[in-house]
Amino acid sequence: MTPDLATPSRHQLHEDILAMLIGTMLVSLGIVFYAQVTLTTGSTAGLALLLHYGTAIPFGWLFFAINLPFYVLAVLRMGWPFTIKTFACVGLVSFFTGHIPDWLDIASVDPLFAGLVGGGLMGIGMLLLFRHKASVGGINILALYLQDNFGIRAGYFQLGIDALILVAAFFILPLDRVIYSVLGALVLNIIIGFNHKPGRYVGFS
């Protein structure tokens, strides 16, 4: 029989694993570009980058630790499958960001290029994870929880937190780095906004 292309097909385990590996590698490469030229981004990754710049603690350790409180909310809001995948993705990003500099020697990179391409890599990686019902943790889980339980709009809350992170960046990073960070955030969100829409992708897990 000819398969019904309009009927969603469930992702297999090996497909989820491959998507998680590729997606987290793309996100991690984008973060490494950012760390190379001291840029930042939104959510827990941006907070971990700023703390890394201020304390010299490895980004991976900070990123993993900051995400720990959000797993409880992830179970309550998204369920165990999503939470387990997200925990694995956060662990992979923490691992990859710590080891990519050992595998890839970036002697020099233009900050504007790093902002735009790094933001693009993170956006594509996150989009791939979203399509396999996973994420790299972060404030969006808290935002959805607050929306469900207290009526606070998730989008506004997420935007407010990201804005606070970028405001904090003004006290840590040079002005040009903040501007490049904002441009990178725009690229990231445009990629997700244009492509992560209901009905655009029929596979699910």
Side-chain angles (χ1 to χ4, degrees):
M1 295 179 60
T2 302
D4 184 357
L5 297 180
T7 302
S9 60
R10 185 175 297 275
H11 287 130
Q12 301 298 312
L13 177 60
H14 69 277
E15 294 174 326
D16 284 339
I17 292 174
L18 182 60
M20 289 163 60
L21 287 170
I22 296 173
T24 54
M25 179 60 78
L26 291 174
V27 171
S28 300
L29 186 56
I31 291 172
V32 169
F33 277 171
Y34 273 34
Q36 181 74 13
V37 293
T38 60
L39 304 184
T40 191
T41 185
S43 198
T44 50
L47 180 58
L49 280 170
L50 290 181
L51 290 174
H52 166 64
Y53 300 145
T55 65
I57 298 174
F59 168 86
W61 296 3
L62 291 167
F63 183 67
F64 188 84
I66 292 171
N67 274 290
L68 289 175
F70 297 104
Y71 295 125
V72 175
L73 298 179
V75 172
L76 296 174
R77 178 60 173 74
M78 304 293 194
W80 279 106
F82 172 87
T83 304
I84 292 171
K85 290 179 184 179
T86 295
F87 182 83
C89 289
V90 170
L92 286 169
V93 169
S94 299
F95 174 80
F96 285 146
T97 53
H99 286 82
I100 286 177
D102 298 328
W103 305 330
L104 176 66
D105 183 15
I106 304 176
S108 177
V109 58
D110 181 78
L112 178 58
F113 175 87
L116 298 178
V117 175
L121 288 169
M122 285 188 277
I124 294 170
M126 291 170 64
L127 179 65
L128 182 58
L129 296 177
F130 291 163
R131 289 180 169 178
H132 285 260
K133 303 297 183 183
S135 78
V136 286
I139 304 298
N140 63 309
I141 297 173
L142 174 59
L144 291 170
Y145 179 82
L146 293 175
Q147 178 174 277
D148 287 348
N149 292 275
F150 300 99
I152 300 173
R153 294 287 296 273
Y156 294 155
F157 181 82
Q158 177 82 48
L159 181 62
I161 293 297
D162 289 349
L164 287 176
I165 292 173
L166 289 173
V167 168
F170 277 102
F171 298 94
I172 300 175
L173 307 180
L175 178 60
D176 65 324
R177 296 306 197 260
V178 178
I179 294 173
Y180 297 146
S181 297
V182 172
L183 292 176
L186 288 174
V187 171
L188 187 158
N189 284 284
I190 286 172
I191 289 173
I192 293 176
F194 282 0
N195 293 281
H196 191 55
K197 296 179 180 180
R200 177 152 291 184
Y201 182 75
V202 297
F204 66 95
S205 57

